[in-house]
Amino acid sequence: QEARRIFARSSPGRLLPRGMPSDVVVNILAGGMAGMVETMLTYPLDLAKTRQQLSASASGSTWSVLSAAYREGGVSGLYRGLAAPLAAETPRRALKFTMNGVFSSQLRALWPPDCARPSLGADVARAGAAGSLAGASETLIHTPVEVVKIRMQAEGRLQGQGPLRIAADIFQRSGVRGLYSGIEAYALRQALWNGCFFGPCLQHCSAALCPRATSLWGCWPEARRHA
């Protein structure tokens, strides 16, 4: 009963008008905004990483690569290729969090939590599995964006070309397979990361921050039904 009262008071649906699909809205707005902020803040470092990895010889420190990019094109040089990942972050994050909710519901149906005797270990296992599946699913949208972004970040011959032009060139040369180059490794990476994030990281942090409601992942749907 205490867990129900805690989660009912914190239900995100209470912040939205009645009748509005709160889960979808929260996934799109929160995930999309977080993705855009993250991309804007980290993109110059991602540019430096990509150029260092593409260089045939030692390309110097991260600072030297960023300085060279700034000398070449100013601030816009530090954000070359930003349009593609920025435009993809909202649907990517919305898909990931929506699919996490779908897989969570399916796993709860197959392996119902016992809110009377909550088990943090079981919650971690269920949430980790749902997160892994959700993380792998987002690569269906994001892999072509990553391929185009890396091509745009490459020095030399691709400078001045837009993302659509580069995507069309890749498709003409290699078809759909070219746009999804590396999807196996990317899907595995995202599955591992999101499984760890939604599983042990989120569940242990939730249990530490809200010790009276130990079974956060498992009891949340029941709490919302009683809100």
Side-chain angles (χ1 to χ4, degrees):
Q1 294 298 326
E2 181 65 19
R4 290 178 182 176
R5 288 195 293 270
I6 292 172
F7 291 123
R9 288 197 299 268
S10 61
S11 172
R14 291 186 172 273
L15 303 177
L16 300 170
R18 289 187 179 277
M20 182 176 290
S22 60
D23 291 340
V24 176
V25 173
V26 169
N27 286 338
I28 293 176
L29 293 181
M33 291 177 66
M36 287 188 286
V37 171
E38 176 189 348
T39 302
M40 292 292 293
L41 291 177
T42 62
Y43 192 81
L45 293 175
D46 188 65
L47 174 68
K49 172 189 72 71
T50 301
R51 289 197 173 181
Q52 288 176 317
Q53 291 174 338
L54 292 174
S55 178
S57 58
S59 56
S61 65
T62 299
W63 177 252
S64 65
V65 175
L66 292 175
S67 298
Y70 182 79
R71 288 193 300 269
E72 291 172 6
V75 175
S76 62
L78 295 174
Y79 286 92
R80 178 175 290 116
L82 175 66
L86 193 60
E89 281 305 316
T90 297
R92 172 196 175 190
R93 298 303 178 94
L95 175 65
K96 177 167 70 175
F97 284 97
T98 299
M99 294 307 295
N100 182 65
V102 170
F103 290 128
S104 296
S105 297
Q106 296 298 318
L107 288 172
R108 278 194 297 269
L110 294 173
W111 184 6
D114 184 358
C115 292
R117 302 176 61 186
S119 168
L120 182 58
D123 291 339
V124 168
R126 281 189 294 258
S132 293
L133 293 170
S137 69
E138 73 174 331
T139 61
L140 296 175
I141 286 180
H142 204 246
T143 299
V145 177
E146 278 289 297
V147 172
V148 171
K149 181 197 72 173
I150 291 173
R151 296 289 181 91
M152 290 190 71
Q153 290 175 340
E155 296 179 304
R157 62 185 180 86
L158 295 177
Q159 292 185 8
Q161 296 186 23
L164 295 179
R165 175 76 177 272
I166 293 176
D169 180 67
I170 295 172
F171 182 77
Q172 290 175 356
R173 292 173 180 271
S174 307
V176 175
R177 179 174 297 181
L179 291 172
Y180 282 89
S181 176
I183 188 174
E184 298 89 352
Y186 188 35
L188 179 59
R189 189 190 78 175
Q190 293 303 100
L192 291 173
W193 155 244
N194 286 284
C196 291
F197 172 75
F198 285 105
C201 295
L202 183 59
Q203 298 308 307
H204 282 286
C205 288
S206 300
L209 294 173
C210 195
R212 289 183 298 173
T214 306
S215 190
L216 170 65
W217 189 89
C219 296
W220 170 261
E222 183 178 350
R224 293 191 63 180
R225 285 197 296 272
H226 289 79

